[in-house]
Amino acid sequence: MEKFCGLDVHKDSVFMCGLSENNEKYEEVFKTLTPDLERLRDTLVDHGVGLGAMESTSIYWYPLWNILESDFDVKLINPLFIKQVPGRKSDVKDAEWIATVLMKDLIKGSFVPPSIIQQLRLYNRKITKLNKQLRRSEQEMDEMLQRCNIRLSNYVSDIGCKSMKKVVQAIAKNHLNLDYLLSLVHARIVRKSGAETIRASLTGTFTSVDIEILRMIVEDLNFHHDQLEFCKKELLKLCYQHFNLQMELLVTIPGVKEHAAACTISEIGTDMKFFTSATALVGWTGLRPRNDQSAGKIKGRKTLHGNKYLRLMLVQCAWGASRTKGSAFMARYQRFRKRMHHNKALIANARKLLVIIWNILAKKEPYFAQAI
């Protein structure tokens, strides 16, 4: 008699409900400390459970998954797909409902990558967070300079450029000589705006507190930059160590460089058996328009919610591919740009990139240029 188990996972508790095909039911509540989760595993073994399912609740499902995956066939379920109708709802009922839909084979498990891919994901997602923190520190730096009436950011293309950083580092060390600060600005910026204008933009008023705050901001920038470089280095190291062939194949695609290839592998892995087709992968990533139609009228074509980390990288790669002269992606972008917005054209190219990536990983063949 096959037995099933539903697990409703929370931060401090796990509600377990076991069901068998002859309608036997057993329920219990466990805490989320490691000894309690091990006791949960032993309880499931004693009851002869063969298949279990749990909701993907924030990050709280990770510890339970790590303990159960070696002994049971466990499915991770999107809560949206098993949402109950209102009424008579409780944590125990949730666990029973998960077990019920599992027993009736009404749910499909989410993609949970193997351990090495999860390690790559940690590096990749940390890189995304560090980029955001670095940008916030740069904005704080510019805000502090503006307060001191240093207007150099008005004449540079990016507040995180080398000229800005050199000037801020000099000011943080109390080097306020205008000729010295002017020498740190790139010659192209000086020629474009004029030496007198740049000199005037570097003329400001500072107190000892202003300089001390700028020094702390510079330390934050250096700290985030060092961590970013370390994560990128380790990500590429692990990718080439375990997936050297796939890395070499992916970088043959226009717009896809080493870091983009590593990001792709860290999010979808290299085994395409979970994604039965390129269309399934596109939908999972969120690059496919939704199907919202009623009474013959299309109500919306917005793209779906999907993997935001992979989607961000693919759109950046699509922009690079669209600017690669002679590539099919450039011709495709220019063709779409005539009849749709720039962003929609980029999303279309990002989707095409992902389809090509699926075929490369599934067939283990390099990219070859063709009309797309």
Side-chain angles (χ1 to χ4, degrees), residues 125-138:
R125 297 183 178 188
K126 182 62 176 177
I127 288 171
T128 302
K129 293 175 183 177
L130 284 171
N131 278 323
K132 293 181 179 179
Q133 292 170 355
L134 195 60
R135 179 55 62 176
R136 280 196 292 268
S137 294
E138 290 172 352

Side-chain angles (χ1 to χ4, degrees), residues 6 8 10 15-17 25 27-29 84 89-98:
D8 190 30
H10 299 273
F15 293 81
M16 182 270 289
C17 178
K25 182 172 70 173
E27 299 172 340
E28 192 172 348
V29 182
Q84 288 203 67
K89 184 185 182 305
S90 66
D91 293 326
V92 176
K93 287 289 184 182
D94 282 344
E96 182 180 348
W97 175 249
I98 294 172

Side-chain angles (χ1 to χ4, degrees), residues 7 31 58 66 68 98 116 145 160 169 211 366:
L7 299 165
K31 294 186 179 300
S58 185
N66 292 334
L68 297 182
I98 294 172
I116 182 60
L145 290 176
Q169 288 171 355
I211 294 176

Side-chain angles (χ1 to χ4, degrees), residues 6 9 32 58 68 108 132 164 168 170 214 218 227 229 247:
V9 185
T32 54
S58 185
L68 297 182
K108 180 182 178 182
K132 293 181 179 179
M164 284 286 290
V168 172
L214 279 174
V218 169
Q227 283 199 339
E229 292 302 316
M247 287 287 290

Side-chain angles (χ1 to χ4, degrees), residues 318-335:
W319 183 229
S322 301
R323 294 167 63 89
T324 302
K325 292 184 178 180
S327 71
F329 292 97
M330 185 176 192
R332 191 169 190 263
Y333 170 79
Q334 291 175 346
R335 187 170 66 250

Side-chain angles (χ1 to χ4, degrees), residues 33-47:
L33 301 178
T34 301
D36 297 293
L37 296 182
E38 291 176 346
R39 187 168 64 87
L40 167 60
R41 178 192 60 197
D42 296 338
T43 301
L44 296 180
V45 172
D46 293 340
H47 283 90

Side-chain angles (χ1 to χ4, degrees), residues 263-276:
C263 169
T264 302
I265 291 175
S266 69
E267 294 300 328
I268 65 175
T270 57
D271 189 355
M272 294 293 102
K273 67 179 181 181
F274 180 82
F275 305 104
T276 55

Side-chain angles (χ1 to χ4, degrees), residues 207-261:
T207 65
S208 59
V209 176
D210 294 331
I211 294 176
E212 191 64 26
I213 296 298
L214 279 174
R215 183 186 63 79
M216 289 190 284
I217 293 174
V218 169
E219 289 177 356
D220 284 344
L221 285 169
N222 293 336
F223 175 73
H224 292 144
H225 182 268
D226 291 343
Q227 283 199 339
L228 186 62
E229 292 302 316
F230 174 80
C231 288
K232 287 182 177 180
K233 180 180 177 181
E234 290 300 312
L235 176 64
L236 291 176
K237 178 181 175 181
L238 278 177
C239 278
Y240 277 115
Q241 180 180 346
H242 296 277
F243 309 108
N244 184 59
L245 173 62
Q246 288 83 356
M247 287 287 290
E248 292 179 353
L249 293 175
L250 289 177
V251 295
T252 60
I253 307 173
V256 177
K257 304 301 180 185
E258 281 186 330
H259 176 65

